[in-house]
Amino acid sequence: MKKRILSIFLAVLFVFALTPSVFATDNAVSNTSNSTTITYLDDGSYIVVTLITDDISSLSLNSTQSKSFNKVGNKFATCYDKNNNLEWKYTLSAEFEVVEGVSATCTSATYSQTIYANDWSFSNGNATKSGNTAYGVGTFKRKVLFVTVDTANIDISISCDVYGNLS
């Protein structure tokens, strides 16, 4: 009887020894998500706006501390012509510091742009941050024989709420 109890005790002890500790104070967690909207234009071209988010969390299991983490978001505005050829892309990148349920602050905002079709140009690009939001602006123009035939004004933003949800 004592051997059976000792065997059970050792088996339970062995299981706990192989289980990772749940009492760690900091763990890294990475989550990724995205959302997409498409706007069709009169000439058959369309602009795809995609938001991709990622967070690296610093979890705290101490009940006196709030969960805090950094959230990263990239919003892409990509233009395709009516034949599905890529014409240009504008990217707004932002990073946020979140204290869950308490605060969200945008800590950086940058933009980049790439032109794939030779008849397009870009001007007036800028990225700014204010509070919990990053803003990106710029203007794409398409010219034929020095005459502007298409203009696309970019005005996009990424906001973060106090739970780390980006929109």
Side-chain angles (χ1 to χ4, degrees), residues 25-74:
T25 56
D26 289 320
N27 294 316
V29 177
S30 179
N31 296 312
T32 305
S33 63
N34 61 26
S35 64
T36 301
T37 59
I38 301 174
T39 304
Y40 294 94
L41 306 176
D42 293 337
D43 65 354
S45 62
Y46 56 98
I47 298 174
V48 178
V49 177
T50 304
L51 174 64
I52 298 176
T53 67
D54 190 28
D55 70 281
I56 307 298
S57 301
S58 292
L59 301 177
S60 176
L61 299 179
N62 184 339
S63 63
T64 61
Q65 295 178 339
S66 297
K67 176 181 170 187
S68 64
F69 54 94
N70 291 331
K71 193 82 171 190
V72 175
N74 293 292

Side-chain angles (χ1 to χ4, degrees), residues 59 66-69 97-104 161-164:
L59 301 177
S66 297
K67 176 181 170 187
S68 64
F69 54 94
E97 287 183 1
V98 179
V99 178
E100 190 171 51
V102 178
S103 67
D161 68 15
V162 296
Y163 299 101

Side-chain angles (χ1 to χ4, degrees), residues 17-161:
L18 293 178
T19 306
S21 174
V22 296
F23 300 105
T25 56
D26 289 320
N27 294 316
V29 177
S30 179
N31 296 312
T32 305
S33 63
N34 61 26
S35 64
T36 301
T37 59
I38 301 174
T39 304
Y40 294 94
L41 306 176
D42 293 337
D43 65 354
S45 62
Y46 56 98
I47 298 174
V48 178
V49 177
T50 304
L51 174 64
I52 298 176
T53 67
D54 190 28
D55 70 281
I56 307 298
S57 301
S58 292
L59 301 177
S60 176
L61 299 179
N62 184 339
S63 63
T64 61
Q65 295 178 339
S66 297
K67 176 181 170 187
S68 64
F69 54 94
N70 291 331
K71 193 82 171 190
V72 175
N74 293 292
K75 190 172 266 191
F76 305 95
T78 309
C79 182
Y80 296 88
D81 68 13
K82 64 183 176 183
N83 298 317
N84 299 320
N85 297 313
L86 182 59
E87 295 193 313
W88 51 260
K89 180 192 272 187
Y90 180 95
T91 305
L92 174 63
S93 300
E95 185 169 348
F96 301 89
E97 287 183 1
V98 179
V99 178
E100 190 171 51
V102 178
S103 67
T105 305
C106 182
T107 57
S108 72
T110 59
Y111 82 94
S112 64
Q113 56 82 25
T114 306
I115 295 176
Y116 300 96
N118 292 333
D119 50 349
W120 285 92
S121 63
F122 180 79
S123 62
N124 303 322
N126 194 17
T128 58
K129 59 186 173 71
S130 178
N132 67 333
T133 305
Y135 302 94
V137 296
T139 302
F140 289 93
K141 290 184 180 182
R142 185 167 71 93
K143 293 185 179 185
V144 176
L145 298 173
F146 305 105
V147 176
T148 301
V149 293
D150 284 318
T151 300
N153 292 310
I154 301 298
D155 187 358
I156 58 178
S157 63
I158 305 172
S159 294
C160 183
D161 68 15

